[in-house]
Amino acid sequence: MKVTLSKYAGFCDGVERAYEIVKEIAKKPDIKRPIFILGSLVHNEDVVESIEKMGIGKIDFDGKVEEITKKIDKKIGTLVITAHGIGPKIFEIARKKGVDIVDTTCPKVIKVQRLAQAFFGRNHQVIIIGEEKHKEVQGIHRWARRKSFIVSSKEDIMGLELDISRPITVISQTTQNRDWVEEMAEAISKKYPQAEIIDTVCSTTRDRQSEAKELARSNDLVLVIGSPASSNSNRLWEISKDINRKTYFIERLEDIKEEWLGNCEKIGITAGASSPRWVIREVVEYLKKV
Ligand code: SF4
């Protein structure tokens, strides 16, 4: 079987950086223990398990700060913030309770958080294009004092009632489908021509999505490796499926079904930003032998 692996498959720079930081602090005796990560470092069970084996715990967290406040207490030595980022309140709570913070927020996400904060501070109405419940979006929303407007559909845009005498700034979740973000931005511009659109889709996400289109066009079948909980993996699947209906979503090697491979000579493989190298390698090696 001819297998083409996306050159962008697997951990993006932000996730790789977060994972390296966690591995590093796990070895350092001067880091206050116990260490806990706020939520999953990445949406991948194997990676989460490998982190647990380093002696680092996890606090379940879906972005709702109100529910987590009580869980941050003196029993925690160090709290790790994931690459998705978080609102400012958690830093404040941790400081008050004497909990150390290791912040692995991706620098590209920090940039979007700062844009939200700065424009809100200048009395702009900030619109975020993205999934309302996503951790990254919730974090960005909180940097705009929870007063931004999160839109996930054209209906949401129709329902916006903004003050047209005040400036409007539009940003987006970094891992969204670029074409969709452009469509949404266009709809916002139609309704509010004064809106300033800032392109905040991450360049890694953009490259990965462009390549997924190419793989879908040039292969009989495409496999997208990722977690169902991973936003960027789901976007890759949607993008590829639109072009090649033989696009399948898998989390690991065991999910591949033999019947998919009949009459198939060329397979394209891509993977979300939270898919570890070892899972991708296993899949590629297996398919090369089919
Ligand atoms: S997808 Fe982009 S913005 Fe998100 S963590 Fe990775 S590098 Fe950072």
Side-chain angles (χ1 to χ4, degrees), residues 87-88 109-124 126 128 139-146 148 169 171:
V109 175
I110 293 180
K111 187 180 138 199
V112 189
Q113 292 174 343
R114 295 299 175 268
L115 285 171
Q117 183 186 31
F119 282 105
F120 178 76
R122 283 185 221 154
N123 199 30
H124 286 220
V126 177
I128 307 171
I140 297 167
H141 179 56
R142 282 169 161 79
W143 282 95
R145 306 245 188 107
R146 300 174 65 194
S148 63
T169 300
I171 52 181

Side-chain angles (χ1 to χ4, degrees), residues 12-15 83 106-109 136 174-175 202-205 232 273:
C12 62
D13 297 348
V15 170
C106 174
K108 291 176 188 170
V109 175
E136 180 194 309
T174 60
T175 48
C202 155
S203 53
T204 314
T205 307
N232 70 87

Side-chain angles (χ1 to χ4, degrees), residues 166-183:
R166 284 172 54 208
I168 299 167
T169 300
V170 183
I171 52 181
S172 69
Q173 186 181 346
T174 60
T175 48
Q176 274 303 330
N177 177 341
R178 189 146 204 252
D179 296 342
W180 178 73
V181 169
E182 276 172 11
E183 257 180 55

Side-chain angles (χ1 to χ4, degrees), residues 15-67:
V15 170
E16 186 78 52
R17 176 178 167 273
Y19 190 49
E20 288 306 316
I21 294 174
V22 166
K23 282 199 294 189
E24 202 53 43
I25 61 166
K27 287 186 249 159
K28 281 193 173 167
D30 56 332
I31 295 285
K32 253 207 285 177
R33 269 136 173 106
I35 307 171
F36 282 91
I37 299 184
L38 195 53
S40 300
L41 191 73
V42 293
H43 297 298
N44 181 281
E45 290 302 319
D46 297 336
V47 178
V48 170
E49 211 176 292
S50 82
I51 292 168
E52 274 168 14
K53 284 187 186 145
M54 296 176 207
I56 298 181
K58 184 184 113 177
I59 299 175
D60 287 329
F61 177 58
D62 61 3
K64 292 200 186 92
V65 177
E66 298 71 23
E67 288 168 20

